Amino acid sequence: MLLKDKTAIISGASRGIGRAIALELAKQGCNIAFNYLKSQAEAESLEAELAALDVKAKATQVDIKDFAAVSVWVEETKATFGGLDILVNNAGIIRDKALALMSPDDWHEVINTNLGGAFNLTRAAVITFIKQKKGDIVNITSVTGVTGMPRQSNYAASKAGIIGFTRSLAQELAPYNIRVNAVAPGFIDTDMTQGLKQEYKDEIIRNIPLARFGKSQDVAKTVKFLLSNASSYITGQTIIIDGGMSLV
Ligand code: NAP
């Protein structure tokens, strides 16, 4: 088991990619603390699924936008689990709109969740990692943060911000033996992409060389790699997981 007896804190794991990451890491023996915002039933079912894998698991309802609440969550996690080794910044939302129609609320909600949330959780955990001279961070960005996407200027700005955050922190934290990497998924089959019209989905698939949407597990397996010794000389990188979409 690659992550036996380590403890990971994952934001937004009640559904989708975060949930798949939690399960993938737990299969490697990693204890999991995760948060959610609204999906209490899904969070409770994940907690049970994780416990069945013989690891410690705890779901906490905390808004990733709330710096004080996130700090309390991290302190409680350290006390309950007896330490902290891994941080995965995953919680994210979309509010797609042409900029000409975008409200300040659409802008701030996306930036404060996707980018502000990563700041809040990393800021709360980093002192522990620095003191113990050990820790691994993986941030979930998006291929949109690399290529841009019409009607996603708020989301693209937040996700491009995550890439800059990753590259800066990788340099800042390397002296403390802390690696910081990111993964940039393309179109992944989750609730986030479920609402897309079928004709639009068909058009997207025509532009993906591997001719399918990705699965949450495709992302989770790459996150596992970035948290394992197999990637011990990789830091500051963003691995694109998009079936080749950004190449064409
Ligand atoms: P999803 O299915 O919509 O799940 C989002 C997760 O984030 C849920 O667990 C949700 O909790 C949580 N969350 C949202 N706002 C939160 C907040 N304020 N505080 C705490 N938790 C919050 O999305 P997904 O597709 O799995 O996406 C996960 C990450 O991958 C996001 O960062 C997204 O931008 C990125 N990504 C996704 C795709 C894709 O195609 N799906 C592509 C590229 C990047 P609740 O369930 O409680 O609401």
Side-chain angles (χ1 to χ4, degrees):
M1 286 195 175
L2 296 174
L3 305 170
K4 182 108 185 81
D5 295 331
K6 293 198 172 189
T7 294
I9 194 161
I10 306 174
S11 67
S14 45
R15 298 180 286 115
I17 292 170
R19 188 181 187 100
I21 293 170
L23 288 165
E24 192 68 34
L25 302 192
K27 283 181 200 154
Q28 297 302 324
C30 192
N31 301 315
I32 307 287
F34 69 94
N35 76 328
Y36 64 97
L37 185 63
K38 299 175 191 153
S39 306
Q40 190 180 346
E42 287 89 341
E44 285 171 2
S45 80
L46 177 62
E47 207 179 42
E49 264 188 77
L50 293 168
L53 291 170
D54 249 356
V55 297
K56 285 188 225 159
K58 191 167 189 320
T60 306
Q61 197 271 329
V62 50
D63 188 341
I64 203 67
K65 297 191 296 302
D66 183 338
F67 179 72
V70 168
S71 302
V72 170
W73 174 42
V74 169
E75 287 312 306
E76 284 174 358
T77 299
K78 279 185 340 194
T80 310
F81 288 73
L84 191 59
D85 307 282
I86 289 166
L87 164 57
V88 180
N89 284 305
N90 167 77
I93 58 166
I94 47 173
R95 289 238 190 137
D96 296 355
K97 242 168 235 168
L99 188 75
L101 301 173
M102 194 178 286
S103 69
D105 189 52
D106 294 328
W107 176 266
H108 291 302
E109 197 63 21
V110 169
I111 298 289
N112 294 346
T113 302
N114 300 2
L115 188 54
F119 165 76
N120 290 343
L121 187 52
T122 311
R123 176 66 181 79
V126 77
I127 306 275
T128 302
F129 286 180
I130 288 172
K131 278 190 186 152
Q132 68 197 19
K133 286 201 176 340
K134 191 164 61 79
D136 284 300
I137 301 174
V138 175
N139 300 318
I140 314 302
T141 174
S142 165
V143 77
T144 294
V146 180
T147 62
M149 185 76 78
R151 303 182 70 252
Q152 286 203 319
S153 58
N154 50 358
Y155 184 74
S158 73
K159 294 300 188 178
I162 289 285
I163 295 172
F165 182 68
T166 301
R167 293 168 65 97
S168 301
L169 273 189
Q171 295 171 63
E172 189 173 315
L173 299 176
Y176 303 99
N177 189 35
I178 299 163
R179 294 188 301 121
V180 190
N181 287 294
V183 296
F187 283 90
I188 307 296
D189 199 5
T190 70
D191 294 345
M192 193 177 266
T193 50
Q194 212 88 86
L196 298 173
K197 290 199 178 105
Q198 193 55 48
E199 313 93 85
Y200 182 49
K201 281 190 183 175
D202 294 342
E203 189 192 323
I204 293 165
I205 288 171
R206 278 196 289 278
N207 288 307
I208 300 176
L210 290 180
R212 64 169 177 90
F213 273 31
K215 299 189 181 72
S216 293
Q217 289 77 9
D218 294 322
V219 180
K221 284 182 198 305
T222 310
V223 171
K224 176 180 72 178
F225 164 71
L226 287 172
L227 294 170
S228 73
N229 271 340
S231 64
S232 60
Y233 200 49
I234 299 177
T235 196
Q237 302 306 307
T238 297
I239 298 184
I240 295 178
I241 310 168
D242 69 347
M245 186 180 71
S246 55
L247 300 172
V248 295

mmCIF file with all atom_site columns, all heavy atoms in Angstrom, residues 112-132:
data_model
loop_
_atom_site.group_PDB
_atom_site.id
_atom_site.type_symbol
_atom_site.label_atom_id
_atom_site.label_alt_id
_atom_site.label_comp_id
_atom_site.label_asym_id
_atom_site.label_entity_id
_atom_site.label_seq_id
_atom_site.pdbx_PDB_ins_code
_atom_site.Cartn_x
_atom_site.Cartn_y
_atom_site.Cartn_z
_atom_site.occupancy
_atom_site.B_iso_or_equiv
_atom_site.pdbx_formal_charge
_atom_site.auth_seq_id
_atom_site.auth_comp_id
_atom_site.auth_asym_id
_atom_site.auth_atom_id
_atom_site.pdbx_PDB_model_num
ATOM 1   N N   . ASN A 1 112 ? -13.837 32.963 -5.290 1.00 0.00 ? 112 ASN A N   1
ATOM 2   C CA  . ASN A 1 112 ? -13.674 32.730 -3.852 1.00 0.00 ? 112 ASN A CA  1
ATOM 3   C C   . ASN A 1 112 ? -13.754 31.250 -3.484 1.00 0.00 ? 112 ASN A C   1
ATOM 4   O O   . ASN A 1 112 ? -13.134 30.811 -2.522 1.00 0.00 ? 112 ASN A O   1
ATOM 5   C CB  . ASN A 1 112 ? -14.723 33.514 -3.051 1.00 0.00 ? 112 ASN A CB  1
ATOM 6   C CG  . ASN A 1 112 ? -14.516 35.011 -3.178 1.00 0.00 ? 112 ASN A CG  1
ATOM 7   O OD1 . ASN A 1 112 ? -13.463 35.453 -3.629 1.00 0.00 ? 112 ASN A OD1 1
ATOM 8   N ND2 . ASN A 1 112 ? -15.517 35.791 -2.817 1.00 0.00 ? 112 ASN A ND2 1
ATOM 9   N N   . THR A 1 113 ? -14.517 30.470 -4.261 1.00 0.00 ? 113 THR A N   1
ATOM 10  C CA  . THR A 1 113 ? -14.580 29.023 -4.000 1.00 0.00 ? 113 THR A CA  1
ATOM 11  C C   . THR A 1 113 ? -13.330 28.338 -4.547 1.00 0.00 ? 113 THR A C   1
ATOM 12  O O   . THR A 1 113 ? -12.618 27.638 -3.815 1.00 0.00 ? 113 THR A O   1
ATOM 13  C CB  . THR A 1 113 ? -15.838 28.409 -4.665 1.00 0.00 ? 113 THR A CB  1
ATOM 14  O OG1 . THR A 1 113 ? -17.002 29.073 -4.162 1.00 0.00 ? 113 THR A OG1 1
ATOM 15  C CG2 . THR A 1 113 ? -15.939 26.914 -4.369 1.00 0.00 ? 113 THR A CG2 1
ATOM 16  N N   . ASN A 1 114 ? -13.052 28.518 -5.833 1.00 0.00 ? 114 ASN A N   1
ATOM 17  C CA  . ASN A 1 114 ? -12.011 27.724 -6.490 1.00 0.00 ? 114 ASN A CA  1
ATOM 18  C C   . ASN A 1 114 ? -10.601 28.170 -6.090 1.00 0.00 ? 114 ASN A C   1
ATOM 19  O O   . ASN A 1 114 ? -9.749  27.326 -5.792 1.00 0.00 ? 114 ASN A O   1
ATOM 20  C CB  . ASN A 1 114 ? -12.151 27.821 -8.017 1.00 0.00 ? 114 ASN A CB  1
ATOM 21  C CG  . ASN A 1 114 ? -13.506 27.318 -8.506 1.00 0.00 ? 114 ASN A CG  1
ATOM 22  O OD1 . ASN A 1 114 ? -14.367 26.933 -7.719 1.00 0.00 ? 114 ASN A OD1 1
ATOM 23  N ND2 . ASN A 1 114 ? -13.711 27.335 -9.810 1.00 0.00 ? 114 ASN A ND2 1
ATOM 24  N N   . LEU A 1 115 ? -10.378 29.472 -6.089 1.00 0.00 ? 115 LEU A N   1
ATOM 25  C CA  . LEU A 1 115 ? -9.027  29.972 -5.789 1.00 0.00 ? 115 LEU A CA  1
ATOM 26  C C   . LEU A 1 115 ? -8.899  30.334 -4.305 1.00 0.00 ? 115 LEU A C   1
ATOM 27  O O   . LEU A 1 115 ? -7.945  29.927 -3.636 1.00 0.00 ? 115 LEU A O   1
ATOM 28  C CB  . LEU A 1 115 ? -8.729  31.185 -6.681 1.00 0.00 ? 115 LEU A CB  1
ATOM 29  C CG  . LEU A 1 115 ? -7.314  31.750 -6.661 1.00 0.00 ? 115 LEU A CG  1
ATOM 30  C CD1 . LEU A 1 115 ? -6.263  30.688 -6.968 1.00 0.00 ? 115 LEU A CD1 1
ATOM 31  C CD2 . LEU A 1 115 ? -7.198  32.898 -7.677 1.00 0.00 ? 115 LEU A CD2 1
ATOM 32  N N   . GLY A 1 116 ? -9.899  31.056 -3.799 1.00 0.00 ? 116 GLY A N   1
ATOM 33  C CA  . GLY A 1 116 ? -9.893  31.429 -2.371 1.00 0.00 ? 116 GLY A CA  1
ATOM 34  C C   . GLY A 1 116 ? -9.928  30.186 -1.490 1.00 0.00 ? 116 GLY A C   1
ATOM 35  O O   . GLY A 1 116 ? -9.264  30.125 -0.452 1.00 0.00 ? 116 GLY A O   1
ATOM 36  N N   . GLY A 1 117 ? -10.688 29.177 -1.903 1.00 0.00 ? 117 GLY A N   1
ATOM 37  C CA  . GLY A 1 117 ? -10.778 27.936 -1.118 1.00 0.00 ? 117 GLY A CA  1
ATOM 38  C C   . GLY A 1 117 ? -9.426  27.245 -1.025 1.00 0.00 ? 117 GLY A C   1
ATOM 39  O O   . GLY A 1 117 ? -9.041  26.740 0.035  1.00 0.00 ? 117 GLY A O   1
ATOM 40  N N   . ALA A 1 118 ? -8.696  27.230 -2.134 1.00 0.00 ? 118 ALA A N   1
ATOM 41  C CA  . ALA A 1 118 ? -7.363  26.603 -2.122 1.00 0.00 ? 118 ALA A CA  1
ATOM 42  C C   . ALA A 1 118 ? -6.419  27.395 -1.215 1.00 0.00 ? 118 ALA A C   1
ATOM 43  O O   . ALA A 1 118 ? -5.611  26.813 -0.479 1.00 0.00 ? 118 ALA A O   1
ATOM 44  C CB  . ALA A 1 118 ? -6.805  26.530 -3.542 1.00 0.00 ? 118 ALA A CB  1
ATOM 45  N N   . PHE A 1 119 ? -6.535  28.728 -1.257 1.00 0.00 ? 119 PHE A N   1
ATOM 46  C CA  . PHE A 1 119 ? -5.723  29.533 -0.318 1.00 0.00 ? 119 PHE A CA  1
ATOM 47  C C   . PHE A 1 119 ? -6.088  29.181 1.124  1.00 0.00 ? 119 PHE A C   1
ATOM 48  O O   . PHE A 1 119 ? -5.211  28.905 1.959  1.00 0.00 ? 119 PHE A O   1
ATOM 49  C CB  . PHE A 1 119 ? -5.927  31.043 -0.550 1.00 0.00 ? 119 PHE A CB  1
ATOM 50  C CG  . PHE A 1 119 ? -5.405  31.861 0.616  1.00 0.00 ? 119 PHE A CG  1
ATOM 51  C CD1 . PHE A 1 119 ? -4.040  32.059 0.782  1.00 0.00 ? 119 PHE A CD1 1
ATOM 52  C CD2 . PHE A 1 119 ? -6.278  32.371 1.570  1.00 0.00 ? 119 PHE A CD2 1
ATOM 53  C CE1 . PHE A 1 119 ? -3.552  32.762 1.883  1.00 0.00 ? 119 PHE A CE1 1
ATOM 54  C CE2 . PHE A 1 119 ? -5.800  33.081 2.678  1.00 0.00 ? 119 PHE A CE2 1
ATOM 55  C CZ  . PHE A 1 119 ? -4.432  33.274 2.832  1.00 0.00 ? 119 PHE A CZ  1
ATOM 56  N N   . ASN A 1 120 ? -7.390  29.177 1.429  1.00 0.00 ? 120 ASN A N   1
ATOM 57  C CA  . ASN A 1 120 ? -7.826  28.964 2.815  1.00 0.00 ? 120 ASN A CA  1
ATOM 58  C C   . ASN A 1 120 ? -7.295  27.649 3.381  1.00 0.00 ? 120 ASN A C   1
ATOM 59  O O   . ASN A 1 120 ? -6.761  27.602 4.488  1.00 0.00 ? 120 ASN A O   1
ATOM 60  C CB  . ASN A 1 120 ? -9.362  28.949 2.891  1.00 0.00 ? 120 ASN A CB  1
ATOM 61  C CG  . ASN A 1 120 ? -9.962  30.323 2.647  1.00 0.00 ? 120 ASN A CG  1
ATOM 62  O OD1 . ASN A 1 120 ? -9.261  31.339 2.721  1.00 0.00 ? 120 ASN A OD1 1
ATOM 63  N ND2 . ASN A 1 120 ? -11.250 30.360 2.333  1.00 0.00 ? 120 ASN A ND2 1
ATOM 64  N N   . LEU A 1 121 ? -7.457  26.578 2.600  1.00 0.00 ? 121 LEU A N   1
ATOM 65  C CA  . LEU A 1 121 ? -7.081  25.257 3.120  1.00 0.00 ? 121 LEU A CA  1
ATOM 66  C C   . LEU A 1 121 ? -5.558  25.101 3.168  1.00 0.00 ? 121 LEU A C   1
ATOM 67  O O   . LEU A 1 121 ? -5.008  24.566 4.140  1.00 0.00 ? 121 LEU A O   1
ATOM 68  C CB  . LEU A 1 121 ? -7.731  24.165 2.249  1.00 0.00 ? 121 LEU A CB  1
ATOM 69  C CG  . LEU A 1 121 ? -7.572  22.728 2.737  1.00 0.00 ? 121 LEU A CG  1
ATOM 70  C CD1 . LEU A 1 121 ? -7.991  22.565 4.193  1.00 0.00 ? 121 LEU A CD1 1
ATOM 71  C CD2 . LEU A 1 121 ? -8.387  21.776 1.857  1.00 0.00 ? 121 LEU A CD2 1
ATOM 72  N N   . THR A 1 122 ? -4.880  25.597 2.150  1.00 0.00 ? 122 THR A N   1
ATOM 73  C CA  . THR A 1 122 ? -3.418  25.463 2.128  1.00 0.00 ? 122 THR A CA  1
ATOM 74  C C   . THR A 1 122 ? -2.797  26.301 3.237  1.00 0.00 ? 122 THR A C   1
ATOM 75  O O   . THR A 1 122 ? -1.876  25.858 3.936  1.00 0.00 ? 122 THR A O   1
ATOM 76  C CB  . THR A 1 122 ? -2.852  25.889 0.753  1.00 0.00 ? 122 THR A CB  1
ATOM 77  O OG1 . THR A 1 122 ? -3.594  25.223 -0.264 1.00 0.00 ? 122 THR A OG1 1
ATOM 78  C CG2 . THR A 1 122 ? -1.386  25.519 0.628  1.00 0.00 ? 122 THR A CG2 1
ATOM 79  N N   . ARG A 1 123 ? -3.328  27.507 3.415  1.00 0.00 ? 123 ARG A N   1
ATOM 80  C CA  . ARG A 1 123 ? -2.799  28.396 4.468  1.00 0.00 ? 123 ARG A CA  1
ATOM 81  C C   . ARG A 1 123 ? -2.954  27.749 5.846  1.00 0.00 ? 123 ARG A C   1
ATOM 82  O O   . ARG A 1 123 ? -2.070  27.848 6.697  1.00 0.00 ? 123 ARG A O   1
ATOM 83  C CB  . ARG A 1 123 ? -3.548  29.737 4.407  1.00 0.00 ? 123 ARG A CB  1
ATOM 84  C CG  . ARG A 1 123 ? -3.190  30.734 5.494  1.00 0.00 ? 123 ARG A CG  1
ATOM 85  C CD  . ARG A 1 123 ? -1.750  31.220 5.368  1.00 0.00 ? 123 ARG A CD  1
ATOM 86  N NE  . ARG A 1 123 ? -1.423  32.164 6.429  1.00 0.00 ? 123 ARG A NE  1
ATOM 87  C CZ  . ARG A 1 123 ? -1.122  31.814 7.670  1.00 0.00 ? 123 ARG A CZ  1
ATOM 88  N NH1 . ARG A 1 123 ? -1.098  30.536 8.017  1.00 0.00 ? 123 ARG A NH1 1
ATOM 89  N NH2 . ARG A 1 123 ? -0.832  32.733 8.573  1.00 0.00 ? 123 ARG A NH2 1
ATOM 90  N N   . ALA A 1 124 ? -4.074  27.055 6.033  1.00 0.00 ? 124 ALA A N   1
ATOM 91  C CA  . ALA A 1 124 ? -4.324  26.429 7.332  1.00 0.00 ? 124 ALA A CA  1
ATOM 92  C C   . ALA A 1 124 ? -3.429  25.211 7.560  1.00 0.00 ? 124 ALA A C   1
ATOM 93  O O   . ALA A 1 124 ? -3.077  24.912 8.693  1.00 0.00 ? 124 ALA A O   1
ATOM 94  C CB  . ALA A 1 124 ? -5.800  26.019 7.422  1.00 0.00 ? 124 ALA A CB  1
ATOM 95  N N   . ALA A 1 125 ? -3.041  24.517 6.489  1.00 0.00 ? 125 ALA A N   1
ATOM 96  C CA  . ALA A 1 125 ? -2.287  23.269 6.650  1.00 0.00 ? 125 ALA A CA  1
ATOM 97  C C   . ALA A 1 125 ? -0.777  23.456 6.541  1.00 0.00 ? 125 ALA A C   1
ATOM 98  O O   . ALA A 1 125 ? -0.007  22.633 7.048  1.00 0.00 ? 125 ALA A O   1
ATOM 99  C CB  . ALA A 1 125 ? -2.739  22.262 5.581  1.00 0.00 ? 125 ALA A CB  1
ATOM 100 N N   . VAL A 1 126 ? -0.347  24.554 5.903  1.00 0.00 ? 126 VAL A N   1
ATOM 101 C CA  . VAL A 1 126 ? 1.060   24.620 5.488  1.00 0.00 ? 126 VAL A CA  1
ATOM 102 C C   . VAL A 1 126 ? 2.032   24.718 6.669  1.00 0.00 ? 126 VAL A C   1
ATOM 103 O O   . VAL A 1 126 ? 3.151   24.204 6.606  1.00 0.00 ? 126 VAL A O   1
ATOM 104 C CB  . VAL A 1 126 ? 1.266   25.774 4.466  1.00 0.00 ? 126 VAL A CB  1
ATOM 105 C CG1 . VAL A 1 126 ? 1.301   27.139 5.132  1.00 0.00 ? 126 VAL A CG1 1
ATOM 106 C CG2 . VAL A 1 126 ? 2.506   25.528 3.635  1.00 0.00 ? 126 VAL A CG2 1
ATOM 107 N N   . ILE A 1 127 ? 1.611   25.362 7.756  1.00 0.00 ? 127 ILE A N   1
ATOM 108 C CA  . ILE A 1 127 ? 2.522   25.511 8.908  1.00 0.00 ? 127 ILE A CA  1
ATOM 109 C C   . ILE A 1 127 ? 2.891   24.130 9.455  1.00 0.00 ? 127 ILE A C   1
ATOM 110 O O   . ILE A 1 127 ? 4.049   23.872 9.787  1.00 0.00 ? 127 ILE A O   1
ATOM 111 C CB  . ILE A 1 127 ? 1.862   26.355 10.036 1.00 0.00 ? 127 ILE A CB  1
ATOM 112 C CG1 . ILE A 1 127 ? 1.371   27.694 9.488  1.00 0.00 ? 127 ILE A CG1 1
ATOM 113 C CG2 . ILE A 1 127 ? 2.818   26.514 11.219 1.00 0.00 ? 127 ILE A CG2 1
ATOM 114 C CD1 . ILE A 1 127 ? 2.347   28.804 9.420  1.00 0.00 ? 127 ILE A CD1 1
ATOM 115 N N   . THR A 1 128 ? 1.893   23.248 9.501  1.00 0.00 ? 128 THR A N   1
ATOM 116 C CA  . THR A 1 128 ? 2.155   21.874 9.963  1.00 0.00 ? 128 THR A CA  1
ATOM 117 C C   . THR A 1 128 ? 3.163   21.192 9.044  1.00 0.00 ? 128 THR A C   1
ATOM 118 O O   . THR A 1 128 ? 4.120   20.566 9.510  1.00 0.00 ? 128 THR A O   1
ATOM 119 C CB  . THR A 1 128 ? 0.823   21.068 9.954  1.00 0.00 ? 128 THR A CB  1
ATOM 120 O OG1 . THR A 1 128 ? -0.090  21.745 10.790 1.00 0.00 ? 128 THR A OG1 1
ATOM 121 C CG2 . THR A 1 128 ? 1.021   19.646 10.427 1.00 0.00 ? 128 THR A CG2 1
ATOM 122 N N   . PHE A 1 129 ? 2.949   21.319 7.735  1.00 0.00 ? 129 PHE A N   1
ATOM 123 C CA  . PHE A 1 129 ? 3.857   20.685 6.774  1.00 0.00 ? 129 PHE A CA  1
ATOM 124 C C   . PHE A 1 129 ? 5.288   21.255 6.924  1.00 0.00 ? 129 PHE A C   1
ATOM 125 O O   . PHE A 1 129 ? 6.269   20.520 6.886  1.00 0.00 ? 129 PHE A O   1
ATOM 126 C CB  . PHE A 1 129 ? 3.368   20.913 5.334  1.00 0.00 ? 129 PHE A CB  1
ATOM 127 C CG  . PHE A 1 129 ? 2.159   20.090 4.937  1.00 0.00 ? 129 PHE A CG  1
ATOM 128 C CD1 . PHE A 1 129 ? 1.617   20.207 3.662  1.00 0.00 ? 129 PHE A CD1 1
ATOM 129 C CD2 . PHE A 1 129 ? 1.564   19.197 5.812  1.00 0.00 ? 129 PHE A CD2 1
ATOM 130 C CE1 . PHE A 1 129 ? 0.518   19.452 3.271  1.00 0.00 ? 129 PHE A CE1 1
ATOM 131 C CE2 . PHE A 1 129 ? 0.462   18.437 5.438  1.00 0.00 ? 129 PHE A CE2 1
ATOM 132 C CZ  . PHE A 1 129 ? -0.066  18.575 4.155  1.00 0.00 ? 129 PHE A CZ  1
ATOM 133 N N   . ILE A 1 130 ? 5.379   22.584 7.091  1.00 0.00 ? 130 ILE A N   1
ATOM 134 C CA  . ILE A 1 130 ? 6.698   23.224 7.217  1.00 0.00 ? 130 ILE A CA  1
ATOM 135 C C   . ILE A 1 130 ? 7.394   22.740 8.487  1.00 0.00 ? 130 ILE A C   1
ATOM 136 O O   . ILE A 1 130 ? 8.569   22.372 8.463  1.00 0.00 ? 130 ILE A O   1
ATOM 137 C CB  . ILE A 1 130 ? 6.546   24.765 7.204  1.00 0.00 ? 130 ILE A CB  1
ATOM 138 C CG1 . ILE A 1 130 ? 6.187   25.245 5.789  1.00 0.00 ? 130 ILE A CG1 1
ATOM 139 C CG2 . ILE A 1 130 ? 7.820   25.454 7.687  1.00 0.00 ? 130 ILE A CG2 1
ATOM 140 C CD1 . ILE A 1 130 ? 5.832   26.725 5.689  1.00 0.00 ? 130 ILE A CD1 1
ATOM 141 N N   . LYS A 1 131 ? 6.641   22.711 9.594  1.00 0.00 ? 131 LYS A N   1
ATOM 142 C CA  . LYS A 1 131 ? 7.251   22.297 10.877 1.00 0.00 ? 131 LYS A CA  1
ATOM 143 C C   . LYS A 1 131 ? 7.756   20.866 10.812 1.00 0.00 ? 131 LYS A C   1
ATOM 144 O O   . LYS A 1 131 ? 8.814   20.555 11.331 1.00 0.00 ? 131 LYS A O   1
ATOM 145 C CB  . LYS A 1 131 ? 6.207   22.412 11.998 1.00 0.00 ? 131 LYS A CB  1
ATOM 146 C CG  . LYS A 1 131 ? 6.052   23.807 12.540 1.00 0.00 ? 131 LYS A CG  1
ATOM 147 C CD  . LYS A 1 131 ? 5.191   23.782 13.793 1.00 0.00 ? 131 LYS A CD  1
ATOM 148 C CE  . LYS A 1 131 ? 4.909   25.177 14.280 1.00 0.00 ? 131 LYS A CE  1
ATOM 149 N NZ  . LYS A 1 131 ? 3.646   25.275 15.019 1.00 0.00 ? 131 LYS A NZ  1
ATOM 150 N N   . GLN A 1 132 ? 6.975   19.987 10.154 1.00 0.00 ? 132 GLN A N   1
ATOM 151 C CA  . GLN A 1 132 ? 7.391   18.568 10.127 1.00 0.00 ? 132 GLN A CA  1
ATOM 152 C C   . GLN A 1 132 ? 8.325   18.259 8.953  1.00 0.00 ? 132 GLN A C   1
ATOM 153 O O   . GLN A 1 132 ? 8.781   17.141 8.802  1.00 0.00 ? 132 GLN A O   1
ATOM 154 C CB  . GLN A 1 132 ? 6.165   17.647 10.124 1.00 0.00 ? 132 GLN A CB  1
ATOM 155 C CG  . GLN A 1 132 ? 5.339   17.691 8.851  1.00 0.00 ? 132 GLN A CG  1
ATOM 156 C CD  . GLN A 1 132 ? 3.941   17.096 9.031  1.00 0.00 ? 132 GLN A CD  1
ATOM 157 O OE1 . GLN A 1 132 ? 3.432   16.957 10.137 1.00 0.00 ? 132 GLN A OE1 1
ATOM 158 N NE2 . GLN A 1 132 ? 3.306   16.726 7.925  1.00 0.00 ? 132 GLN A NE2 1
#
